[in-house]
Amino acid sequence: MFYMMTLTKELEVHPRFFGPKLSLEIQRRLKEEVEGTCNGKYGFILAVFAVLETGRGLIREGSGAAVFNLKYSCICMKPFKGEVMDVVVTSVNKMGFFAEAGPLQVFVSNHLIPDGFEFNTAHEPCYQTADGEQKIVPASEVRLRIVGTRVDASDIFAVGSIKEDYLGCISAPL
Amino acid sequence: MSDEEDFSAGSDDEEEYQESEEGSDEDEEDVGRHRKKEAAVKGKAVVKEKKPKAVKAVKKKKRSANDDERGGRKRLRGSAFIDDIADVDDDDDEDDLEDEGMDDLIDDAGEEVLSQAEMIKMRQEMREAAVAADRDNEPNPEELEKYIKERFGGQSYAAAAYEGDDAPSGAVGQQALMPTSADPKLWVVRCGEGQEREAVVCLLQKCYDLAKRGSPLLIKAVFCQDHLKGYIYVEAHKEASVKEALRGLRMIFGSKPPQLVPLREMVDAIRVPRTTAKAIEPGSWVRIKNGLYKGDLAKVVDTDMSTQRGTIKVVPRLDLAAMANRKPEDARSNFGKQPKVKPPARPFNPDEARSHRLDVVQQRDRATGDVYLILNGSNRFIEGYLIKTVALKSLDLQESLPPLDELQKFNAAAQSDDGGGTDLASLMQNLQAEGGEAAGAAAPKWEKNDRVLVVEGDLKNIKGRVQHITEDGGVMVVPEDAALPDFKDAIRFEPREITKYFESGEHVKVIHGQQEGETGMVVRVEGSVCYIFTDTTQQELRVFTRDLTLAVATSSAVDSLGGYEMHDLVVLDNTTVGVVVNVDQDSLRVLTNQGRPDKPDIRVCRLPDIKRKMINKRASVKDGGGNDVGVGDMVDVVDGPLKGRSGTVRYIMRGFVFVQTREVQEHAGFICLQARHTKVRGGKGRAMGGGGGVGMTPGRSPAYGILASPHPNRGMQQNVMASPSRQGGGGGGPPGSGQYSGRVSTQQDKMLEGRSLTIKKGPFRGMRGRVISATATHVRLELEAQMKTVTVDRSHLAIEDGGRSEPAPRPGYAYPSAGTPMAAGGRTPMHPGITATPMHYSSLTTPMHPGMTPGREALTKTPAYDPAWAATPAHPGFGGGSSYPHAGTPGFAADTPGTVNPSPGGMGYRGHPYAAPSPGYAPASYAASAGTPGMYAAAGTPALAGTPGMYAAAGTPGVFNDAAAATPGGGGYGAAGGGAAGPAGVDYSLWIDAEVVLASGERAALRSVDGGVATVSLGSEAADKDRTVWIYPPGAASRTVPVGEVQLATGTKGRMRIVSGELIGQEGVVVGIDGGDGIVKLGADIKIIQLSHLAMLAEAAVPPPAAPT
C-alpha cells in the first residue's frame, strides 16, 4: 500500500556546498540517500516529494560540515499480508515464480499457484494451464495476494499466492 | 549341571506340586484372601515406588518371606504365586524363555505338555474360586491390617510399606522404606554376561522346585539390572544361603564369592534410572557408531537381548568394482578391512552387482518368508537395504525421529514397487504409527509462544499459544481461537495432544535436523510437513512442523561458521577467492572466481580450506566501457552467457566482479564475472570527468576551486593503482572516468595505507613501518620494531617497492604521483608556495626515477600529441574556468609536461575565479620561467612538439622523466595518436557539427577535423523572434583553422552533444542555463552538466524555440 509520509532525516553537508545552491544540494543528497531505501516501519521510500523543512543547519565542529534536520514528505510503499497487488513476473522456475512490484520482490511458490497451472520448460520456463490459455512467463503481469512478508533491515520480501478467485495472470507480456 | 536337567527336574516337581494343589480346596478361601492382599500390596508398591524393578524385587521378597514363615501353607500359597509369577515372567523374559529354556524344556519332557495344559486349567479354576471368595469376603480394612501386621510385623520396611491406606506418603514414608540392618542383605554375584536374566529365571525355578521338595532356598529375592552387565543381585540373610542357592547354576561363576552390597547402596542397586535410556527395539532408528557405516541411519529389524545383537537395515555402501577386483585369495586378508574411501550410500542393485560378475543369490528366509538377495555369500539385502547383524553396543539409539531429509534418503532407497518410501504422507503415518513414542519424545521442544493446534481430546482443532511448560512436561496452552473469544485460561495439555501449527506466509526457523538454523517462509502446510522457501538459498525445503519455530521477523538468518558469514568474500588460495553462498553445519559453499559464468565453480569448503576473509570495499575496476566500477554499483552484464542480467557489484577482485542479482536464484543470487563483461549503470550520481553532478568533482573543477586545495586526489591514485596499463589502452576511448569525481576527496592518502616503508631520515631513521594513514605532508606509521605509531614527514620516507607511480617524495608536495603537473596545477591556486611559480615544480621535480618511463615512449611517439597540445591554449574549457574536468581523463592523467605545465600558467589561471593573479600570464612567459626554454617554447608551436627528439633535447630530463614516470597512463597517447582525439582527452571527432567560436570571434560550425586542423564553415546570424541566433547553412564559406584556435560556443540553448564526462557522446537539448551549468534534457532525463562539456550543435536553420527551463 502506498502512503504519503512525512519523515525526518539528518543530513550532513560538506562546507563546499555552502552557497547559493545549498538547497539544491540538500535536495539532491536527500534523494540520493533516501530514495529506494527501505525500513521496516515505513517500507520502501519510493520518492521524495518535497523537502518541507531544512532548519538552519548546525556546523559540526572539526569537520565544518553542516547538519540539517530535514523534514520531508515522501511516498512510501509497504506491503501487507492479505494485500492484493499487481506484479510483474521476473523469473520462473520449478519452485514457483518471482515477481516484482516496484522495489518489492514477491515469490509465489508452486504450492500457491492453482492446480490448473503446470510448470512447463518446453520453450522457456513458464506456468501454463492445460489449454494453454493462461501462461505465466517473465514479464507477465499477475495479480496476487500477499500471504506473508519478511522484513529485513534493508529489504522486504513477500510471498504471494494466486490460488484464489480473481487472482492470477492479468496480462501476457507484449 | 546343565540347566536342562535343572528344568526337567523342576517340571517333575511341578507335577506333584499340582497334585497337592488339587487336594487343597479347603485352603481356597485363604488363598483368595491372600491374593486380594497381594493385589493391594502391588498397588501400593507401585504408588510408592514407581519402579517396576523395585516392585518385582519387593514382591519376590514378600513371597519368599511368606514361604519362610508359613511353611505349612507354603505350597498352596506357592501355587498361587507361581500363577502370578509365571505371568510376570512371561512378560519380562519372554525372549529368554521362548528362545531357550522353554523349548528345551518341552522337547525334553514330552508329557510335560499335558501337565501344563492341566495346570492352566487348574489355575483358571483357582482364579475363579479366588474371585468368588473375594466376593464373599468383602475386604475388611482392619482385618487386613491386622493380618498384615501379623504377617509382616517383623519386617520393618515391609511393615512400613503395607501399614494400610493411611501409610505416610512423601519423604517420610519413603524414608521408612529404607532397608535396615535387620533386613536381609543384598549380595551381588558375578555371572555370565548376557545371561543375567537367565540366571534369575533359573534361580526362580529352582526356588519353586526346592520349596516344593521341602528344602526351600533361603534367599529372599533375586534380580538383575539391565544396565549392569554380568551381575545379578541376590537378597538373603546369609552369604551361605546365596552360595547354596547359586550352586549348580552354570551361568554363575563359582570362582568369585558373592559380594555384599553395603546397606546404603542397596536402594541404588534396585533403583531403575528414571530417565531410563530407551532400549533398542525393532523399529527403532539407530545410528551406527563405527565402521564403514559410521554415522549412517539404520532401522532395527530385530534384536536379541540375550546376545546383545541386533539386526539392522541400512542403505548399503558398496564398492562393487572393488569387490569384483578383489581376488579370492585376497578376500580373506581384506576381510573386515574398510575401503579407504567411503563409498556412497546407494541402494543395492542386483543387476549392477551381476554386471560386476559378483555372485548374487536369491534366498527365502524360512522363518519370515522374506526374500533376501545374497551377495558373495555374505551380504544380505532386502529391497535394496543391507541387512546386518551387529552388536547393539555399536548402535546409537536415535531418541527422537531422525530429521526428515535423512528419513527421506533412507526411505528413497527402498526398491519396493509400491514406492511407499517416497510418499511423505505415508512416511509420516508410518513414523507416527511405528514410533508413536519416539515421535512423542521428539516433540517436547516447545517454546513459549509457539502456536499449537490440539490434535487429541475434547478440544481437538483448537488453536492456541504455548504459555509455559510445566515441570512434569505438560504444556500450558492459552486458547487463541476465533471460535472461543472468551476462553482465555491456560489449559494443560500433554505434549502428544498438541502439535505445532503454522500458516503459509509465516517466517520460520528450522530448529532441528540437517537444515537447522535455516530460516524461510512457509509456503504450504501439509499435515505435519511444512514447505519452506528459504531466505538465504531460496530453495524449497520440506520440514516437519515439529522442527520449526516462528522466527523473529526482523532478524534475517545470518548464518555463519567460524567467523565466516554468508556473502563474505573469502580467500581460498593465492588465486582463488570466492563468496560464501551457503553455510552448512560444518562447511561453507563458496562461489569462486575460477568458474565460468555459465558454469560457476562452487566449492564446499571446510574451515581449514579458507585462508581468510577479505574486506575490500574500495576496490575498483574498469568495466567493458572503460568506466570505473566500484563496490555497490549497479552493472549490466553486456557479454557472455549471462548477458542481459543486471545486479549490484558486491566484491571486486582482480578483474572479476561478484555481482548479486535478483535474476539468478542459485548461489544466493551471486554471479562471478569478468569485469569487462559488465557495464556500469549511470546510477549513484557518479558524474564523470569532473563536470556531471553539482560539485561532484572536488579538487578538479576550478568551479569549486576551494577544493583544489592540496588534497592529493584519491581518485587519481586509485586510478593509477587500479590499472596503469589499462588506462593507457583505454586512452582512445571515452576519456571520462568516474573515479576522479564521484568520490569525496579526503585528505587521506589511501594508497599508501598498508604499505611498508622505511624511514630514511629523522629520529626514526632506518626503521620500517606500516602506513596507517597518510596525508599530504605526513605519514603515520606503525613501526615494526617498536610498539608504536609515529608520524613522520613524508620527505623522511623512502617508498620501498619502487611503486609504479611514486617518483619521489617531495617536501611539501602532496603526493608523488600527484606530481603530475596537472594535478599540481589543479591545486596551485591554493598553494601559495607554488602558485606563482609553476617553475617551482620543475625545480622540485628531480629526476628521481629515470628508469620509470613507460609512458615516455608512448609519449614521444605520439604525433597526436601536438595537435592536442596545440589545442589546449584555445580550449574553451581552460579559458572558461573548467580546464580541470579533463583531469579525470586518462589522457590527462597522463599529463605531459607540455600540456600541463602551460595550463596552470597560461590557461588555468586566466579564467580562474580564485587564483587568477595574472590573466595575462602567457604561456610564453611561463615557459620561460619554467626554465626549460626548449620545451616550453615548443608549447607554443605544436609542430615542434611532435618531434620526439625535441623533447630529449629540450626537456630538462628531470621534468620530463618525472612527468612520464608519474603518468603510467601515458600510453593513452599512443591510442589517441591515430584519431582526432587529443592528448588532453578532447575528442575532436565529437566536435563535428558543433558550434564553435573562432579565434577571430566569429562563430562557425566545425565540419571536420584532420590532425590538428579543423575545417569550419562560417555561420551567419539570424533573428529568431526576439533573439539572435547563429545558423550554419550547408553552403556557407568554409575555412581551415588549427583546432587549438577553436572553442566550443556555449551559453545558448538548443541541441547539443556532450563531448566529455560520463555521458560523452550523448546528444540532447539544453533547456536552460544555470551559471556554468547547463540543464540538459537527455531523452526523458534531465541532467545538470557543465557547459564546458557541451558542444552546441550547429543548426542549419533557425532552431525551434527551446523548451522553457
Side-chain angles (χ1 to χ4, degrees):
Chain A
M1 222 169 280
F2 295 93
Y3 296 92
M4 185 83 162
M5 297 296 304
T6 301
L7 303 177
T8 55
K9 161 97 184 162
E10 203 170 84
L11 192 73
E12 201 175 303
V13 179
H14 194 275
R16 83 178 81 120
F17 302 108
F18 299 171
K21 288 182 210 156
L22 179 62
S23 62
L24 208 66
E25 168 66 12
I26 289 175
Q27 206 162 348
R28 190 187 65 79
R29 281 276 305 280
L30 178 69
K31 286 189 175 184
E32 188 182 299
E33 288 188 15
V34 156
E35 283 183 4
T37 61
C38 170
N39 71 44
K41 198 168 174 191
Y42 304 112
F44 297 98
I45 296 175
L46 299 182
V48 173
F49 200 69
V51 179
L52 302 176
E53 262 179 55
T54 52
R56 299 198 55 180
L58 203 69
I59 300 290
R60 185 158 280 181
E61 266 177 53
S63 72
V67 178
F68 291 93
N69 274 315
L70 302 180
K71 202 167 156 190
Y72 62 97
S73 61
C74 61
I75 299 170
C76 297
M77 179 180 98
K78 187 173 185 189
F80 289 92
K81 190 173 169 176
E83 184 181 342
V84 174
M85 56 165 59
D86 295 351
V87 297
V88 178
V89 176
T90 52
S91 72
V92 178
N93 59 38
K94 68 175 185 346
M95 292 185 300
F97 63 85
F98 288 88
E100 276 177 357
L104 174 73
Q105 207 187 14
V106 189
F107 174 69
V108 180
S109 161
N110 58 6
H111 303 293
L112 299 170
I113 296 174
D115 297 331
F117 282 89
E118 286 282 307
F119 182 62
N120 190 344
T121 42
H123 181 56
E124 60 176 332
C126 70
Y127 282 91
Q128 69 184 129
T129 49
D131 56 6
E133 205 157 89
Q134 290 199 56
K135 197 171 176 188
I136 297 173
V137 290
S140 297
E141 287 173 23
V142 166
R143 180 163 297 162
L144 53 78
R145 184 185 294 282
I146 290 176
V147 295
T149 56
R150 184 187 82 227
V151 183
D152 290 344
S154 61
D155 200 14
I156 299 182
F157 179 78
V159 168
S161 164
I162 56 169
K163 207 173 186 176
E164 223 174 295
D165 288 348
Y166 309 112
L167 298 181
C169 209
I170 49 180
S171 87
L174 299 169
Chain B
M1 186 168 77
S2 78
D3 61 335
E4 280 168 29
E5 281 171 332
D6 208 17
F7 271 106
S8 48
S11 39
D12 285 343
D13 287 349
E14 212 163 10
E15 222 173 359
E16 56 182 280
Y17 195 55
Q18 278 152 14
E19 279 163 21
S20 71
E21 222 173 74
E22 271 174 299
S24 56
D25 281 354
E26 75 276 12
D27 275 334
E28 255 179 26
E29 193 181 309
D30 192 1
V31 168
R33 221 169 140 203
H34 177 77
R35 286 175 60 82
K36 186 84 190 174
K37 180 226 73 184
E38 191 166 0
V41 160
K42 213 184 210 170
K44 184 74 67 184
V46 168
V47 169
K48 294 252 160 154
E49 304 245 19
K50 288 188 182 167
K51 290 172 216 151
K53 267 283 157 12
V55 172
K56 192 175 160 192
V58 169
K59 263 183 351 197
K60 281 179 189 165
K61 212 173 280 181
K62 204 92 306 93
R63 286 164 203 140
S64 321
N66 290 346
D67 292 353
D68 268 5
E69 267 181 29
R70 306 174 52 137
R73 289 165 128 190
K74 175 184 63 192
R75 294 169 119 198
L76 243 170
R77 210 162 289 117
S79 71
F81 288 148
I82 284 190
D83 177 10
D84 217 27
I85 285 158
D87 283 349
V88 168
D89 273 324
D90 275 348
D91 292 342
D92 283 357
D93 300 349
E94 230 170 354
D95 301 340
D96 301 48
L97 280 173
E98 274 172 15
D99 295 352
E100 294 162 28
M102 273 315 192
D103 290 353
D104 296 342
L105 188 72
I106 290 165
D107 286 347
D108 283 9
E111 76 274 26
E112 199 60 25
V113 178
L114 186 68
S115 73
Q116 279 195 339
E118 278 176 9
M119 220 169 110
I120 290 165
K121 195 176 142 216
M122 224 142 39
R123 278 178 195 156
Q124 248 163 0
E125 285 170 8
M126 272 177 59
R127 260 190 219 123
E128 279 158 21
V131 170
D134 276 357
R135 252 187 257 120
D136 293 347
N137 294 7
E138 271 306 299
N140 183 347
E142 284 124 47
E143 207 177 311
L144 190 65
E145 193 182 331
K146 192 175 143 224
Y147 171 80
I148 289 166
K149 273 202 177 134
E150 175 193 322
R151 286 191 70 169
F152 303 107
Q155 296 183 352
S156 55
Y157 62 93
Y162 307 120
E163 218 157 2
D165 289 342
D166 54 355
S169 58
V172 179
Q174 289 285 325
Q175 204 60 41
L177 289 171
M178 289 300 187
T180 65
S181 53
D183 294 319
K185 292 164 187 67
L186 199 58
W187 309 85
V188 63
V189 185
R190 190 93 174 80
C191 78
E193 214 162 298
Q195 294 173 307
E196 303 87 0
R197 283 163 177 250
E198 194 183 341
V200 169
V201 173
C202 288
L203 211 51
L204 180 67
Q205 189 68 42
K206 190 172 176 184
C207 169
Y208 296 146
D209 296 344
L210 292 181
K212 208 171 72 178
R213 281 186 191 157
S215 51
L217 289 175
L218 294 175
I219 60 170
K220 307 291 181 192
V222 55
F223 63 94
C224 65
Q225 286 278 36
D226 278 344
H227 60 83
L228 191 71
K229 304 277 184 238
Y231 289 95
I232 61 168
Y233 289 97
V234 181
E235 191 184 15
H237 279 288
K238 291 184 188 115
E239 190 183 344
S241 324
V242 178
K243 281 187 170 163
E244 175 63 27
L246 297 175
R247 190 189 312 142
L249 287 178
R250 66 160 185 184
M251 61 288 283
I252 304 294
F253 302 139
S255 57
K256 294 217 175 113
Q259 279 182 300
L260 183 68
V261 176
L263 192 62
R264 81 173 78 107
E265 288 174 25
M266 277 172 75
V267 175
D268 293 325
I270 58 167
R271 175 168 289 152
V272 178
R274 191 194 178 102
T275 55
T276 171
K278 262 182 69 72
I280 295 177
E281 50 194 24
S284 317
W285 291 100
V286 292
R287 262 180 217 290
I288 300 165
K289 278 188 199 159
N290 43 32
L292 178 61
Y293 292 93
K294 186 175 178 180
D296 282 12
L297 189 67
K299 194 172 183 181
V300 179
V301 179
D302 193 16
T303 54
D304 184 351
M305 279 302 164
S306 58
T307 54
Q308 289 293 307
R309 291 179 79 78
T311 307
I312 56 165
K313 192 159 100 160
V314 64
V315 184
R317 290 179 182 275
L318 296 176
D319 190 348
L320 293 173
M323 286 173 97
N325 291 337
R326 201 156 58 192
K327 292 181 197 116
E329 59 267 30
D330 295 344
R332 187 171 294 272
S333 64
N334 274 355
F335 183 74
K337 259 191 198 165
Q338 288 174 31
K340 283 204 180 89
V341 184
K342 217 171 167 179
R346 273 189 310 148
F348 175 66
N349 182 349
D351 298 332
E352 197 186 338
R354 284 187 189 114
S355 74
H356 281 94
R357 294 167 175 271
L358 290 168
D359 180 32
V360 183
V361 189
Q362 212 171 41
Q363 213 172 65
R364 186 173 288 271
D365 188 310
R366 264 172 294 162
T368 59
D370 290 335
V371 178
Y372 290 105
L373 290 168
I374 303 202
L375 174 71
N376 271 7
S378 57
N379 299 325
R380 288 181 298 161
F381 298 92
I382 286 186
E383 291 172 349
Y385 294 104
L386 173 66
I387 305 295
K388 258 171 96 84
T389 302
V390 295
L392 290 183
K393 259 187 198 165
S394 70
L395 299 177
D396 207 357
L397 182 69
Q398 290 294 99
E399 292 274 343
S400 58
L401 216 50
L404 185 59
D405 49 343
E406 277 189 88
L407 275 184
Q408 274 176 297
K409 258 183 233 162
F410 186 87
N411 284 30
Q415 287 172 338
S416 52
D417 292 334
D418 56 5
T422 49
D423 182 20
L424 267 180
S426 70
L427 169 65
M428 237 355 246
Q429 275 177 353
N430 291 346
L431 291 174
Q432 273 163 353
E434 68 194 23
E437 266 182 63
K445 281 188 180 172
W446 303 102
E447 282 173 27
K448 199 182 165 187
N449 274 341
D450 275 349
R451 299 209 306 161
V452 294
L453 183 71
V454 182
V455 291
E456 267 185 44
D458 303 340
L459 295 169
K460 192 169 171 180
N461 287 338
I462 284 186
K463 291 164 195 161
R465 233 172 236 283
V466 174
Q467 191 189 50
H468 67 272
I469 319 289
T470 57
E471 278 177 15
D472 55 351
V475 185
M476 301 301 288
V477 175
V478 180
E480 216 177 48
D481 207 300
L484 301 164
D486 303 326
F487 199 24
K488 292 285 171 223
D489 297 333
I491 310 167
R492 185 179 185 283
F493 288 99
E494 290 301 322
R496 67 181 156 75
E497 291 175 323
I498 51 177
T499 173
K500 285 190 194 178
Y501 162 76
F502 297 95
E503 277 175 0
S504 31
E506 285 179 330
H507 195 229
V508 295
K509 184 173 185 184
V510 184
I511 50 171
H512 177 245
Q514 196 81 22
Q515 283 102 4
E516 188 174 329
E518 201 74 78
T519 59
M521 292 175 83
V522 178
V523 292
R524 186 186 195 182
V525 185
E526 237 179 32
S528 54
V529 177
C530 269
Y531 292 74
I532 292 171
F533 185 72
T534 59
D535 294 340
T536 46
T537 51
Q538 308 217 314
Q539 284 164 341
E540 201 172 274
L541 299 179
R542 289 192 290 191
V543 190
F544 287 129
T545 47
R546 63 177 168 86
D547 293 341
L548 292 177
T549 187
L550 275 185
V552 182
T554 46
S555 77
S556 74
V558 179
D559 279 70
S560 68
L561 177 67
Y564 302 111
E565 284 180 11
M566 188 84 177
H567 301 178
D568 274 351
L569 184 69
V570 294
V571 179
L572 301 183
D573 59 45
N574 287 339
T575 54
T576 314
V577 294
V579 174
V580 178
V581 292
N582 197 11
V583 181
D584 292 335
Q585 296 278 27
D586 51 357
S587 63
L588 299 156
R589 256 166 220 278
V590 180
L591 169 73
T592 73
N593 60 349
Q594 302 291 328
R596 294 197 308 268
D598 52 335
K599 196 168 158 266
D601 179 40
I602 301 290
R603 297 193 192 171
V604 177
C605 301
R606 306 179 79 86
L607 282 181
D609 302 336
I610 297 174
K611 298 270 182 295
R612 65 196 162 90
K613 184 149 93 179
M614 233 169 131
I615 298 164
N616 192 6
K617 291 277 177 216
R618 295 223 163 87
S620 91
V621 71
K622 288 271 191 271
D623 69 5
N627 302 313
D628 265 280
V629 183
V631 172
D633 288 351
M634 285 285 282
V635 293
D636 292 313
V637 183
V638 293
D639 205 357
L642 294 168
K643 189 172 174 176
R645 315 248 184 201
S646 62
T648 312
V649 175
R650 292 288 177 225
Y651 299 105
I652 296 174
M653 193 64 212
R654 294 195 187 108
F656 287 96
V657 286
F658 288 95
V659 176
Q660 195 176 25
T661 168
R662 280 180 175 182
E663 295 157 37
V664 176
Q665 264 75 54
E666 302 87 43
H667 321 316
F670 271 93
I671 47 180
C672 178
L673 295 160
Q674 286 194 310
R676 60 190 161 84
H677 291 159
T678 65
K679 190 166 189 309
V680 69
R681 277 195 190 169
K684 235 187 152 185
R686 17 181 57 233
M688 292 292 119
V694 178
M696 286 312 288
T697 58
R700 286 292 151 187
S701 166
Y704 299 103
I706 18 168
L707 303 166
S709 53
H711 297 184
N713 186 298
R714 187 155 55 88
M716 163 166 279
Q717 285 135 25
Q718 281 205 342
N719 191 8
V720 168
M721 175 176 65
S723 50
S725 59
R726 213 170 285 176
Q727 256 181 1
S737 70
Q739 74 198 125
Y740 290 99
S741 43
R743 294 209 172 96
V744 178
S745 163
T746 64
Q747 291 196 311
Q748 302 279 311
D749 174 1
K750 295 288 178 194
M751 192 191 167
L752 273 185
E753 277 181 21
R755 285 181 51 182
S756 282
L757 301 178
T758 304
I759 303 168
K760 289 292 184 200
K761 276 186 192 168
F764 299 105
R765 189 175 67 157
M767 291 187 169
R768 277 169 63 88
R770 202 171 55 82
V771 177
I772 292 175
S773 65
T775 65
T777 52
H778 291 86
V779 176
R780 275 178 72 72
L781 293 162
E782 191 180 67
L783 297 182
E784 284 176 2
Q786 292 179 18
M787 276 283 288
K788 81 182 171 183
T789 308
V790 295
T791 306
V792 183
D793 197 290
R794 244 177 202 280
S795 60
H796 292 175
L797 289 171
I799 291 167
E800 286 196 18
D801 58 7
R804 288 168 290 223
S805 54
E806 281 77 29
R810 273 172 278 188
Y813 193 60
Y815 185 75
S817 86
T820 54
M822 182 55 231
R827 70 175 66 87
T828 21
M830 290 305 286
H831 212 298
I834 297 171
T835 319
T837 56
M839 143 196 159
H840 197 44
Y841 286 112
S842 312
S843 62
L844 289 171
T845 341
T846 47
M848 290 300 270
H849 291 249
M852 296 176 47
T853 55
R856 181 168 67 166
E857 279 170 350
L859 183 66
T860 49
K861 273 182 210 149
T862 56
Y865 169 67
D866 45 358
W869 178 52
T872 341
H875 193 294
F878 290 101
S882 54
S883 53
Y884 299 111
H886 300 300
T889 67
F892 220 71
D895 5 50
T896 70
T899 333
V900 174
N901 278 342
S903 63
M907 296 149 276
Y909 298 121
R910 185 157 40 195
H912 203 285
Y914 294 94
S918 54
Y921 213 162
S925 65
Y926 165 61
S929 65
T932 54
M935 185 165 179
Y936 292 108
T941 52
L944 286 180
T947 57
M950 192 63 201
Y951 269 103
T956 52
V959 173
F960 186 81
N961 286 340
D962 177 32
T967 56
Y973 291 100
V986 179
D987 184 355
Y988 285 102
S989 64
L990 286 170
W991 286 34
I992 289 173
D993 283 340
E995 195 177 23
V996 293
V997 181
L998 302 182
S1000 59
E1002 287 170 298
R1003 291 211 174 189
L1006 193 137
R1007 295 304 180 195
S1008 68
V1009 181
D1010 182 17
V1013 187
T1015 309
V1016 297
S1017 60
L1018 293 181
S1020 52
E1021 275 181 281
D1024 171 34
K1025 292 179 188 159
D1026 52 347
R1027 62 196 174 112
T1028 305
V1029 295
W1030 289 84
I1031 58 167
Y1032 305 93
S1038 64
R1039 194 191 287 179
T1040 52
V1041 290
V1043 283
E1045 283 183 25
V1046 297
Q1047 291 182 14
L1048 287 170
T1050 55
T1052 54
K1053 298 176 185 176
R1055 284 178 55 224
M1056 60 84 211
R1057 180 187 295 139
I1058 301 168
V1059 294
S1060 53
E1062 184 189 29
L1063 303 164
I1064 188 161
Q1066 295 208 36
E1067 292 190 15
V1069 177
V1070 177
V1071 294
I1073 291 167
D1074 179 11
D1077 296 329
I1079 298 165
V1080 172
K1081 198 168 178 185
L1082 293 171
D1085 294 347
I1086 301 275
K1087 299 251 179 197
I1088 295 172
I1089 299 179
Q1090 281 192 0
L1091 287 179
S1092 56
H1093 290 272
L1094 306 180
M1096 303 308 300
L1097 294 183
E1099 303 288 346
V1102 176
T1109 325

